[in-house]
Structure formats: C-alpha cells, structure tokens
Amino acid sequence: NSEDVRCKCICPPYKDHSGHIYNKNVSQKDCDCLHVVEPMPVPGPDVEAYCLRCECKYEERSSVTIKVNNVILL
C-alpha cells in the first residue's frame, strides 16, 4: 500500500528560511532531500548546504496491523 511508506525530511532553519518537515511517498533509494523537499526553499547555490542540514528517514508501517489493533483495543 503506497500510504504505508514515506520519506520524512526534517530540515532546520537555514539563513532566513524557517525549519520545515517534508513528507513524500517515494522509494527508499529516493529518500533524500533532493527528491522530497518540494518546492526547494533556497536558490541553486544554497541547495547543497541546505540539504546537508536536513535529516531524512524512510518509514514503513502496516495500516492493516494498526486497524486490527484498534479493533481489538476498542
């Protein structure tokens, strides 16, 4: 299920740009700042420095397991 995977990038403040969290459904190999952060908040020369500050993590979950657990607990 495409909703069960995502890449989450947490980017701290950089120069005059505030911090931001980006989420996107991409494959694990594409889980990086260049594929997830859209639109890029900084101009071309600053992209590398901005992306080096971002922490990106690939996340998977099982929504079926979550739903079953909710039914059991309720």
PDB file of all heavy atoms in Angstrom, residues 3-42:
ATOM      1  N   GLU A   3       0.328   4.169   0.911  1.00  0.00           N
ATOM      2  CA  GLU A   3       0.173   5.013   2.092  1.00  0.00           C
ATOM      3  C   GLU A   3       0.970   4.478   3.275  1.00  0.00           C
ATOM      4  O   GLU A   3       1.086   5.139   4.290  1.00  0.00           O
ATOM      5  CB  GLU A   3      -1.302   5.117   2.470  1.00  0.00           C
ATOM      6  CG  GLU A   3      -2.134   5.813   1.415  1.00  0.00           C
ATOM      7  CD  GLU A   3      -3.609   5.787   1.739  1.00  0.00           C
ATOM      8  OE1 GLU A   3      -3.983   5.289   2.815  1.00  0.00           O
ATOM      9  OE2 GLU A   3      -4.390   6.269   0.913  1.00  0.00           O
ATOM     10  N   ASP A   4       1.527   3.291   3.140  1.00  0.00           N
ATOM     11  CA  ASP A   4       2.259   2.681   4.240  1.00  0.00           C
ATOM     12  C   ASP A   4       3.756   2.966   4.201  1.00  0.00           C
ATOM     13  O   ASP A   4       4.490   2.510   5.060  1.00  0.00           O
ATOM     14  CB  ASP A   4       2.027   1.168   4.251  1.00  0.00           C
ATOM     15  CG  ASP A   4       0.621   0.814   4.694  1.00  0.00           C
ATOM     16  OD1 ASP A   4      -0.057   1.681   5.269  1.00  0.00           O
ATOM     17  OD2 ASP A   4       0.207  -0.321   4.461  1.00  0.00           O
ATOM     18  N   VAL A   5       4.219   3.699   3.201  1.00  0.00           N
ATOM     19  CA  VAL A   5       5.633   4.069   3.121  1.00  0.00           C
ATOM     20  C   VAL A   5       5.734   5.567   2.869  1.00  0.00           C
ATOM     21  O   VAL A   5       4.877   6.158   2.216  1.00  0.00           O
ATOM     22  CB  VAL A   5       6.382   3.303   2.009  1.00  0.00           C
ATOM     23  CG1 VAL A   5       6.405   1.820   2.309  1.00  0.00           C
ATOM     24  CG2 VAL A   5       5.801   3.572   0.652  1.00  0.00           C
ATOM     25  N   ARG A   6       6.784   6.155   3.416  1.00  0.00           N
ATOM     26  CA  ARG A   6       7.013   7.565   3.154  1.00  0.00           C
ATOM     27  C   ARG A   6       8.456   7.900   3.508  1.00  0.00           C
ATOM     28  O   ARG A   6       9.130   7.165   4.233  1.00  0.00           O
ATOM     29  CB  ARG A   6       6.083   8.460   3.964  1.00  0.00           C
ATOM     30  CG  ARG A   6       6.395   8.479   5.455  1.00  0.00           C
ATOM     31  CD  ARG A   6       5.520   9.443   6.189  1.00  0.00           C
ATOM     32  NE  ARG A   6       5.823   9.402   7.622  1.00  0.00           N
ATOM     33  CZ  ARG A   6       5.233  10.143   8.512  1.00  0.00           C
ATOM     34  NH1 ARG A   6       4.289  10.979   8.145  1.00  0.00           N
ATOM     35  NH2 ARG A   6       5.556  10.059   9.779  1.00  0.00           N
ATOM     36  N   CYS A   7       8.881   9.012   3.009  1.00  0.00           N
ATOM     37  CA  CYS A   7      10.171   9.562   3.383  1.00  0.00           C
ATOM     38  C   CYS A   7       9.874  10.869   4.104  1.00  0.00           C
ATOM     39  O   CYS A   7       9.109  11.697   3.617  1.00  0.00           O
ATOM     40  CB  CYS A   7      11.031   9.815   2.152  1.00  0.00           C
ATOM     41  SG  CYS A   7      12.661  10.459   2.553  1.00  0.00           S
ATOM     42  N   LYS A   8      10.455  11.011   5.265  1.00  0.00           N
ATOM     43  CA  LYS A   8      10.222  12.196   6.081  1.00  0.00           C
ATOM     44  C   LYS A   8      11.546  12.931   6.244  1.00  0.00           C
ATOM     45  O   LYS A   8      12.525  12.352   6.731  1.00  0.00           O
ATOM     46  CB  LYS A   8       9.677  11.777   7.445  1.00  0.00           C
ATOM     47  CG  LYS A   8       9.395  12.913   8.393  1.00  0.00           C
ATOM     48  CD  LYS A   8       8.829  12.355   9.692  1.00  0.00           C
ATOM     49  CE  LYS A   8       8.490  13.439  10.672  1.00  0.00           C
ATOM     50  NZ  LYS A   8       7.952  12.872  11.924  1.00  0.00           N
ATOM     51  N   CYS A   9      11.589  14.185   5.808  1.00  0.00           N
ATOM     52  CA  CYS A   9      12.786  15.008   5.940  1.00  0.00           C
ATOM     53  C   CYS A   9      12.509  16.153   6.905  1.00  0.00           C
ATOM     54  O   CYS A   9      11.542  16.902   6.724  1.00  0.00           O
ATOM     55  CB  CYS A   9      13.217  15.583   4.602  1.00  0.00           C
ATOM     56  SG  CYS A   9      13.853  14.367   3.441  1.00  0.00           S
ATOM     57  N   ILE A  10      13.342  16.256   7.911  1.00  0.00           N
ATOM     58  CA  ILE A  10      13.237  17.346   8.883  1.00  0.00           C
ATOM     59  C   ILE A  10      14.381  18.298   8.591  1.00  0.00           C
ATOM     60  O   ILE A  10      15.554  17.941   8.718  1.00  0.00           O
ATOM     61  CB  ILE A  10      13.310  16.819  10.322  1.00  0.00           C
ATOM     62  CG1 ILE A  10      12.182  15.819  10.564  1.00  0.00           C
ATOM     63  CG2 ILE A  10      13.261  17.975  11.321  1.00  0.00           C
ATOM     64  CD1 ILE A  10      12.266  15.092  11.892  1.00  0.00           C
ATOM     65  N   CYS A  11      14.026  19.504   8.181  1.00  0.00           N
ATOM     66  CA  CYS A  11      15.030  20.500   7.806  1.00  0.00           C
ATOM     67  C   CYS A  11      14.982  21.652   8.814  1.00  0.00           C
ATOM     68  O   CYS A  11      13.947  22.311   8.964  1.00  0.00           O
ATOM     69  CB  CYS A  11      14.769  21.016   6.404  1.00  0.00           C
ATOM     70  SG  CYS A  11      14.823  19.716   5.140  1.00  0.00           S
ATOM     71  N   PRO A  12      16.091  21.917   9.500  1.00  0.00           N
ATOM     72  CA  PRO A  12      16.136  23.003  10.482  1.00  0.00           C
ATOM     73  C   PRO A  12      16.190  24.364   9.781  1.00  0.00           C
ATOM     74  O   PRO A  12      16.383  24.435   8.564  1.00  0.00           O
ATOM     75  CB  PRO A  12      17.428  22.722  11.248  1.00  0.00           C
ATOM     76  CG  PRO A  12      18.296  22.016  10.278  1.00  0.00           C
ATOM     77  CD  PRO A  12      17.356  21.204   9.416  1.00  0.00           C
ATOM     78  N   PRO A  13      16.032  25.433  10.537  1.00  0.00           N
ATOM     79  CA  PRO A  13      16.122  26.767   9.931  1.00  0.00           C
ATOM     80  C   PRO A  13      17.464  26.959   9.215  1.00  0.00           C
ATOM     81  O   PRO A  13      18.497  26.448   9.647  1.00  0.00           O
ATOM     82  CB  PRO A  13      16.004  27.713  11.124  1.00  0.00           C
ATOM     83  CG  PRO A  13      15.317  26.918  12.174  1.00  0.00           C
ATOM     84  CD  PRO A  13      15.745  25.497  11.971  1.00  0.00           C
ATOM     85  N   TYR A  14      17.421  27.683   8.125  1.00  0.00           N
ATOM     86  CA  TYR A  14      18.627  27.962   7.340  1.00  0.00           C
ATOM     87  C   TYR A  14      18.542  29.397   6.837  1.00  0.00           C
ATOM     88  O   TYR A  14      17.587  29.758   6.143  1.00  0.00           O
ATOM     89  CB  TYR A  14      18.733  26.993   6.164  1.00  0.00           C
ATOM     90  CG  TYR A  14      19.916  27.237   5.264  1.00  0.00           C
ATOM     91  CD1 TYR A  14      21.191  26.849   5.647  1.00  0.00           C
ATOM     92  CD2 TYR A  14      19.761  27.869   4.040  1.00  0.00           C
ATOM     93  CE1 TYR A  14      22.290  27.062   4.824  1.00  0.00           C
ATOM     94  CE2 TYR A  14      20.847  28.092   3.211  1.00  0.00           C
ATOM     95  CZ  TYR A  14      22.109  27.690   3.611  1.00  0.00           C
ATOM     96  OH  TYR A  14      23.185  27.913   2.802  1.00  0.00           O
ATOM     97  N   LYS A  15      19.513  30.190   7.200  1.00  0.00           N
ATOM     98  CA  LYS A  15      19.542  31.616   6.850  1.00  0.00           C
ATOM     99  C   LYS A  15      18.203  32.249   7.213  1.00  0.00           C
ATOM    100  O   LYS A  15      17.785  32.198   8.358  1.00  0.00           O
ATOM    101  CB  LYS A  15      19.936  31.813   5.394  1.00  0.00           C
ATOM    102  CG  LYS A  15      21.372  31.396   5.112  1.00  0.00           C
ATOM    103  CD  LYS A  15      21.794  31.769   3.718  1.00  0.00           C
ATOM    104  CE  LYS A  15      23.260  31.393   3.499  1.00  0.00           C
ATOM    105  NZ  LYS A  15      23.720  31.739   2.170  1.00  0.00           N
ATOM    106  N   ASP A  16      17.490  32.812   6.234  1.00  0.00           N
ATOM    107  CA  ASP A  16      16.215  33.476   6.546  1.00  0.00           C
ATOM    108  C   ASP A  16      15.000  32.570   6.320  1.00  0.00           C
ATOM    109  O   ASP A  16      13.874  33.036   6.284  1.00  0.00           O
ATOM    110  CB  ASP A  16      16.073  34.771   5.747  1.00  0.00           C
ATOM    111  CG  ASP A  16      16.106  34.541   4.246  1.00  0.00           C
ATOM    112  OD1 ASP A  16      16.557  33.470   3.814  1.00  0.00           O
ATOM    113  OD2 ASP A  16      15.671  35.443   3.506  1.00  0.00           O
ATOM    114  N   HIS A  17      15.228  31.249   6.195  1.00  0.00           N
ATOM    115  CA  HIS A  17      14.135  30.289   5.993  1.00  0.00           C
ATOM    116  C   HIS A  17      13.874  29.539   7.295  1.00  0.00           C
ATOM    117  O   HIS A  17      14.804  29.054   7.941  1.00  0.00           O
ATOM    118  CB  HIS A  17      14.492  29.285   4.888  1.00  0.00           C
ATOM    119  CG  HIS A  17      14.747  29.937   3.566  1.00  0.00           C
ATOM    120  ND1 HIS A  17      13.736  30.329   2.729  1.00  0.00           N
ATOM    121  CD2 HIS A  17      15.903  30.277   2.948  1.00  0.00           C
ATOM    122  CE1 HIS A  17      14.252  30.886   1.657  1.00  0.00           C
ATOM    123  NE2 HIS A  17      15.569  30.870   1.763  1.00  0.00           N
ATOM    124  N   SER A  18      12.611  29.434   7.676  1.00  0.00           N
ATOM    125  CA  SER A  18      12.266  28.704   8.898  1.00  0.00           C
ATOM    126  C   SER A  18      12.390  27.204   8.659  1.00  0.00           C
ATOM    127  O   SER A  18      12.420  26.742   7.515  1.00  0.00           O
ATOM    128  CB  SER A  18      10.848  29.053   9.342  1.00  0.00           C
ATOM    129  OG  SER A  18       9.926  28.695   8.337  1.00  0.00           O
ATOM    130  N   GLY A  19      12.469  26.430   9.740  1.00  0.00           N
ATOM    131  CA  GLY A  19      12.537  24.981   9.639  1.00  0.00           C
ATOM    132  C   GLY A  19      11.230  24.420   9.102  1.00  0.00           C
ATOM    133  O   GLY A  19      10.174  25.051   9.189  1.00  0.00           O
ATOM    134  N   HIS A  20      11.305  23.229   8.531  1.00  0.00           N
ATOM    135  CA  HIS A  20      10.107  22.632   7.945  1.00  0.00           C
ATOM    136  C   HIS A  20      10.254  21.117   7.901  1.00  0.00           C
ATOM    137  O   HIS A  20      11.362  20.588   7.801  1.00  0.00           O
ATOM    138  CB  HIS A  20       9.897  23.174   6.527  1.00  0.00           C
ATOM    139  CG  HIS A  20       8.537  22.916   5.974  1.00  0.00           C
ATOM    140  ND1 HIS A  20       7.426  23.625   6.365  1.00  0.00           N
ATOM    141  CD2 HIS A  20       8.099  22.010   5.071  1.00  0.00           C
ATOM    142  CE1 HIS A  20       6.368  23.170   5.710  1.00  0.00           C
ATOM    143  NE2 HIS A  20       6.760  22.179   4.918  1.00  0.00           N
ATOM    144  N   ILE A  21       9.126  20.415   7.962  1.00  0.00           N
ATOM    145  CA  ILE A  21       9.098  18.955   7.827  1.00  0.00           C
ATOM    146  C   ILE A  21       8.411  18.625   6.508  1.00  0.00           C
ATOM    147  O   ILE A  21       7.317  19.117   6.225  1.00  0.00           O
ATOM    148  CB  ILE A  21       8.355  18.300   9.004  1.00  0.00           C
ATOM    149  CG1 ILE A  21       9.081  18.590  10.315  1.00  0.00           C
ATOM    150  CG2 ILE A  21       8.218  16.790   8.785  1.00  0.00           C
ATOM    151  CD1 ILE A  21       8.344  18.117  11.546  1.00  0.00           C
ATOM    152  N   TYR A  22       9.071  17.803   5.704  1.00  0.00           N
ATOM    153  CA  TYR A  22       8.544  17.396   4.403  1.00  0.00           C
ATOM    154  C   TYR A  22       8.270  15.897   4.413  1.00  0.00           C
ATOM    155  O   TYR A  22       9.076  15.126   4.915  1.00  0.00           O
ATOM    156  CB  TYR A  22       9.561  17.693   3.301  1.00  0.00           C
ATOM    157  CG  TYR A  22       9.923  19.154   3.162  1.00  0.00           C
ATOM    158  CD1 TYR A  22      10.972  19.692   3.896  1.00  0.00           C
ATOM    159  CD2 TYR A  22       9.223  19.990   2.303  1.00  0.00           C
ATOM    160  CE1 TYR A  22      11.315  21.031   3.777  1.00  0.00           C
ATOM    161  CE2 TYR A  22       9.552  21.329   2.178  1.00  0.00           C
ATOM    162  CZ  TYR A  22      10.598  21.842   2.914  1.00  0.00           C
ATOM    163  OH  TYR A  22      10.934  23.166   2.791  1.00  0.00           O
ATOM    164  N   ASN A  23       7.136  15.487   3.856  1.00  0.00           N
ATOM    165  CA  ASN A  23       6.776  14.074   3.714  1.00  0.00           C
ATOM    166  C   ASN A  23       6.434  13.810   2.258  1.00  0.00           C
ATOM    167  O   ASN A  23       5.755  14.622   1.618  1.00  0.00           O
ATOM    168  CB  ASN A  23       5.544  13.721   4.556  1.00  0.00           C
ATOM    169  CG  ASN A  23       5.819  13.791   6.022  1.00  0.00           C
ATOM    170  OD1 ASN A  23       6.709  13.124   6.522  1.00  0.00           O
ATOM    171  ND2 ASN A  23       5.069  14.621   6.725  1.00  0.00           N
ATOM    172  N   LYS A  24       6.900  12.671   1.758  1.00  0.00           N
ATOM    173  CA  LYS A  24       6.552  12.313   0.388  1.00  0.00           C
ATOM    174  C   LYS A  24       6.624  10.802   0.245  1.00  0.00           C
ATOM    175  O   LYS A  24       7.469  10.150   0.840  1.00  0.00           O
ATOM    176  CB  LYS A  24       7.525  12.974  -0.584  1.00  0.00           C
ATOM    177  CG  LYS A  24       7.123  12.876  -2.031  1.00  0.00           C
ATOM    178  CD  LYS A  24       8.029  13.720  -2.898  1.00  0.00           C
ATOM    179  CE  LYS A  24       7.575  13.692  -4.340  1.00  0.00           C
ATOM    180  NZ  LYS A  24       8.484  14.467  -5.196  1.00  0.00           N
ATOM    181  N   ASN A  25       5.723  10.236  -0.543  1.00  0.00           N
ATOM    182  CA  ASN A  25       5.742   8.803  -0.830  1.00  0.00           C
ATOM    183  C   ASN A  25       6.737   8.556  -1.952  1.00  0.00           C
ATOM    184  O   ASN A  25       6.439   8.818  -3.120  1.00  0.00           O
ATOM    185  CB  ASN A  25       4.351   8.312  -1.240  1.00  0.00           C
ATOM    186  CG  ASN A  25       3.367   8.336  -0.101  1.00  0.00           C
ATOM    187  OD1 ASN A  25       3.761   8.374   1.040  1.00  0.00           O
ATOM    188  ND2 ASN A  25       2.094   8.348  -0.416  1.00  0.00           N
ATOM    189  N   VAL A  26       7.929   8.113  -1.597  1.00  0.00           N
ATOM    190  CA  VAL A  26       8.970   7.774  -2.569  1.00  0.00           C
ATOM    191  C   VAL A  26       9.604   6.449  -2.177  1.00  0.00           C
ATOM    192  O   VAL A  26       9.422   5.977  -1.061  1.00  0.00           O
ATOM    193  CB  VAL A  26      10.069   8.864  -2.660  1.00  0.00           C
ATOM    194  CG1 VAL A  26       9.518  10.171  -3.190  1.00  0.00           C
ATOM    195  CG2 VAL A  26      10.750   9.076  -1.328  1.00  0.00           C
ATOM    196  N   SER A  27      10.365   5.868  -3.085  1.00  0.00           N
ATOM    197  CA  SER A  27      11.055   4.621  -2.769  1.00  0.00           C
ATOM    198  C   SER A  27      12.192   4.899  -1.787  1.00  0.00           C
ATOM    199  O   SER A  27      12.629   6.041  -1.618  1.00  0.00           O
ATOM    200  CB  SER A  27      11.609   3.981  -4.040  1.00  0.00           C
ATOM    201  OG  SER A  27      12.622   4.790  -4.584  1.00  0.00           O
ATOM    202  N   GLN A  28      12.680   3.850  -1.182  1.00  0.00           N
ATOM    203  CA  GLN A  28      13.739   4.000  -0.181  1.00  0.00           C
ATOM    204  C   GLN A  28      15.005   4.599  -0.798  1.00  0.00           C
ATOM    205  O   GLN A  28      15.668   5.417  -0.172  1.00  0.00           O
ATOM    206  CB  GLN A  28      14.052   2.650   0.459  1.00  0.00           C
ATOM    207  CG  GLN A  28      14.975   2.757   1.647  1.00  0.00           C
ATOM    208  CD  GLN A  28      15.090   1.446   2.405  1.00  0.00           C
ATOM    209  OE1 GLN A  28      14.564   0.418   1.993  1.00  0.00           O
ATOM    210  NE2 GLN A  28      15.754   1.485   3.538  1.00  0.00           N
ATOM    211  N   LYS A  29      15.308   4.262  -2.032  1.00  0.00           N
ATOM    212  CA  LYS A  29      16.520   4.791  -2.665  1.00  0.00           C
ATOM    213  C   LYS A  29      16.388   6.279  -2.995  1.00  0.00           C
ATOM    214  O   LYS A  29      17.389   6.968  -3.141  1.00  0.00           O
ATOM    215  CB  LYS A  29      16.887   3.994  -3.913  1.00  0.00           C
ATOM    216  CG  LYS A  29      15.944   4.158  -5.077  1.00  0.00           C
ATOM    217  CD  LYS A  29      16.411   3.348  -6.287  1.00  0.00           C
ATOM    218  CE  LYS A  29      15.488   3.509  -7.455  1.00  0.00           C
ATOM    219  NZ  LYS A  29      15.628   4.766  -8.158  1.00  0.00           N
ATOM    220  N   ASP A  30      15.164   6.777  -3.105  1.00  0.00           N
ATOM    221  CA  ASP A  30      14.940   8.192  -3.394  1.00  0.00           C
ATOM    222  C   ASP A  30      14.660   9.017  -2.138  1.00  0.00           C
ATOM    223  O   ASP A  30      14.238  10.167  -2.230  1.00  0.00           O
ATOM    224  CB  ASP A  30      13.779   8.363  -4.375  1.00  0.00           C
ATOM    225  CG  ASP A  30      14.130   7.878  -5.770  1.00  0.00           C
ATOM    226  OD1 ASP A  30      15.325   7.872  -6.111  1.00  0.00           O
ATOM    227  OD2 ASP A  30      13.207   7.498  -6.512  1.00  0.00           O
ATOM    228  N   CYS A  31      14.893   8.426  -0.988  1.00  0.00           N
ATOM    229  CA  CYS A  31      14.607   9.120   0.272  1.00  0.00           C
ATOM    230  C   CYS A  31      15.784  10.039   0.625  1.00  0.00           C
ATOM    231  O   CYS A  31      16.675   9.683   1.390  1.00  0.00           O
ATOM    232  CB  CYS A  31      14.349   8.113   1.395  1.00  0.00           C
ATOM    233  SG  CYS A  31      13.870   8.903   2.938  1.00  0.00           S
ATOM    234  N   ASP A  32      15.772  11.208   0.008  1.00  0.00           N
ATOM    235  CA  ASP A  32      16.779  12.219   0.307  1.00  0.00           C
ATOM    236  C   ASP A  32      16.179  13.597   0.046  1.00  0.00           C
ATOM    237  O   ASP A  32      15.100  13.719  -0.529  1.00  0.00           O
ATOM    238  CB  ASP A  32      18.063  12.004  -0.505  1.00  0.00           C
ATOM    239  CG  ASP A  32      17.836  12.027  -2.007  1.00  0.00           C
ATOM    240  OD1 ASP A  32      17.027  12.846  -2.487  1.00  0.00           O
ATOM    241  OD2 ASP A  32      18.473  11.232  -2.704  1.00  0.00           O
ATOM    242  N   CYS A  33      16.884  14.590   0.472  1.00  0.00           N
ATOM    243  CA  CYS A  33      16.402  15.967   0.376  1.00  0.00           C
ATOM    244  C   CYS A  33      16.050  16.362  -1.053  1.00  0.00           C
ATOM    245  O   CYS A  33      15.024  16.988  -1.294  1.00  0.00           O
ATOM    246  CB  CYS A  33      17.477  16.899   0.953  1.00  0.00           C
ATOM    247  SG  CYS A  33      17.139  18.660   0.755  1.00  0.00           S
ATOM    248  N   LEU A  34      16.876  15.998  -2.003  1.00  0.00           N
ATOM    249  CA  LEU A  34      16.650  16.419  -3.392  1.00  0.00           C
ATOM    250  C   LEU A  34      15.370  15.845  -3.989  1.00  0.00           C
ATOM    251  O   LEU A  34      14.754  16.467  -4.856  1.00  0.00           O
ATOM    252  CB  LEU A  34      17.844  16.023  -4.265  1.00  0.00           C
ATOM    253  CG  LEU A  34      19.150  16.747  -3.941  1.00  0.00           C
ATOM    254  CD1 LEU A  34      20.286  16.185  -4.782  1.00  0.00           C
ATOM    255  CD2 LEU A  34      19.011  18.247  -4.150  1.00  0.00           C
ATOM    256  N   HIS A  35      14.934  14.667  -3.519  1.00  0.00           N
ATOM    257  CA  HIS A  35      13.713  14.054  -4.048  1.00  0.00           C
ATOM    258  C   HIS A  35      12.460  14.398  -3.239  1.00  0.00           C
ATOM    259  O   HIS A  35      11.346  14.231  -3.723  1.00  0.00           O
ATOM    260  CB  HIS A  35      13.871  12.525  -4.087  1.00  0.00           C
ATOM    261  CG  HIS A  35      14.804  12.051  -5.133  1.00  0.00           C
ATOM    262  ND1 HIS A  35      16.113  11.728  -4.879  1.00  0.00           N
ATOM    263  CD2 HIS A  35      14.627  11.844  -6.463  1.00  0.00           C
ATOM    264  CE1 HIS A  35      16.700  11.345  -5.994  1.00  0.00           C
ATOM    265  NE2 HIS A  35      15.818  11.404  -6.974  1.00  0.00           N
ATOM    266  N   VAL A  36      12.639  14.826  -1.990  1.00  0.00           N
ATOM    267  CA  VAL A  36      11.487  15.015  -1.098  1.00  0.00           C
ATOM    268  C   VAL A  36      11.123  16.483  -0.890  1.00  0.00           C
ATOM    269  O   VAL A  36       9.948  16.835  -0.825  1.00  0.00           O
ATOM    270  CB  VAL A  36      11.756  14.323   0.263  1.00  0.00           C
ATOM    271  CG1 VAL A  36      10.631  14.588   1.239  1.00  0.00           C
ATOM    272  CG2 VAL A  36      11.941  12.826   0.051  1.00  0.00           C
ATOM    273  N   VAL A  37      12.114  17.340  -0.784  1.00  0.00           N
ATOM    274  CA  VAL A  37      11.857  18.755  -0.487  1.00  0.00           C
ATOM    275  C   VAL A  37      11.395  19.458  -1.763  1.00  0.00           C
ATOM    276  O   VAL A  37      12.164  19.709  -2.680  1.00  0.00           O
ATOM    277  CB  VAL A  37      13.122  19.436   0.086  1.00  0.00           C
ATOM    278  CG1 VAL A  37      12.869  20.917   0.305  1.00  0.00           C
ATOM    279  CG2 VAL A  37      13.530  18.762   1.391  1.00  0.00           C
ATOM    280  N   GLU A  38      10.093  19.744  -1.813  1.00  0.00           N
ATOM    281  CA  GLU A  38       9.480  20.449  -2.945  1.00  0.00           C
ATOM    282  C   GLU A  38       8.420  21.405  -2.432  1.00  0.00           C
ATOM    283  O   GLU A  38       7.584  20.997  -1.633  1.00  0.00           O
ATOM    284  CB  GLU A  38       8.842  19.455  -3.917  1.00  0.00           C
ATOM    285  CG  GLU A  38       9.830  18.630  -4.686  1.00  0.00           C
ATOM    286  CD  GLU A  38       9.146  17.661  -5.650  1.00  0.00           C
ATOM    287  OE1 GLU A  38       7.897  17.597  -5.666  1.00  0.00           O
ATOM    288  OE2 GLU A  38       9.857  16.969  -6.372  1.00  0.00           O
ATOM    289  N   PRO A  39       8.439  22.646  -2.826  1.00  0.00           N
ATOM    290  CA  PRO A  39       9.481  23.280  -3.632  1.00  0.00           C
ATOM    291  C   PRO A  39      10.720  23.555  -2.781  1.00  0.00           C
ATOM    292  O   PRO A  39      10.619  23.753  -1.567  1.00  0.00           O
ATOM    293  CB  PRO A  39       8.823  24.578  -4.089  1.00  0.00           C
ATOM    294  CG  PRO A  39       7.859  24.905  -2.988  1.00  0.00           C
ATOM    295  CD  PRO A  39       7.363  23.567  -2.472  1.00  0.00           C
ATOM    296  N   MET A  40      11.871  23.580  -3.411  1.00  0.00           N
ATOM    297  CA  MET A  40      13.126  23.862  -2.719  1.00  0.00           C
ATOM    298  C   MET A  40      13.090  25.321  -2.261  1.00  0.00           C
ATOM    299  O   MET A  40      12.902  26.220  -3.078  1.00  0.00           O
ATOM    300  CB  MET A  40      14.314  23.612  -3.654  1.00  0.00           C
ATOM    301  CG  MET A  40      15.657  23.699  -2.986  1.00  0.00           C
ATOM    302  SD  MET A  40      15.951  22.525  -1.645  1.00  0.00           S
ATOM    303  CE  MET A  40      16.029  20.972  -2.496  1.00  0.00           C
ATOM    304  N   PRO A  41      13.227  25.552  -0.952  1.00  0.00           N
ATOM    305  CA  PRO A  41      13.059  26.917  -0.433  1.00  0.00           C
ATOM    306  C   PRO A  41      14.264  27.832  -0.634  1.00  0.00           C
ATOM    307  O   PRO A  41      14.171  29.021  -0.334  1.00  0.00           O
ATOM    308  CB  PRO A  41      12.814  26.678   1.059  1.00  0.00           C
ATOM    309  CG  PRO A  41      13.521  25.415   1.351  1.00  0.00           C
ATOM    310  CD  PRO A  41      13.402  24.579   0.104  1.00  0.00           C
ATOM    311  N   VAL A  42      15.374  27.302  -1.122  1.00  0.00           N
ATOM    312  CA  VAL A  42      16.578  28.113  -1.287  1.00  0.00           C
ATOM    313  C   VAL A  42      17.004  28.119  -2.753  1.00  0.00           C
ATOM    314  O   VAL A  42      16.692  27.190  -3.500  1.00  0.00           O
ATOM    315  CB  VAL A  42      17.731  27.595  -0.399  1.00  0.00           C
ATOM    316  CG1 VAL A  42      17.377  27.717   1.061  1.00  0.00           C
ATOM    317  CG2 VAL A  42      18.096  26.165  -0.734  1.00  0.00           C
TER     318      VAL A  42
END
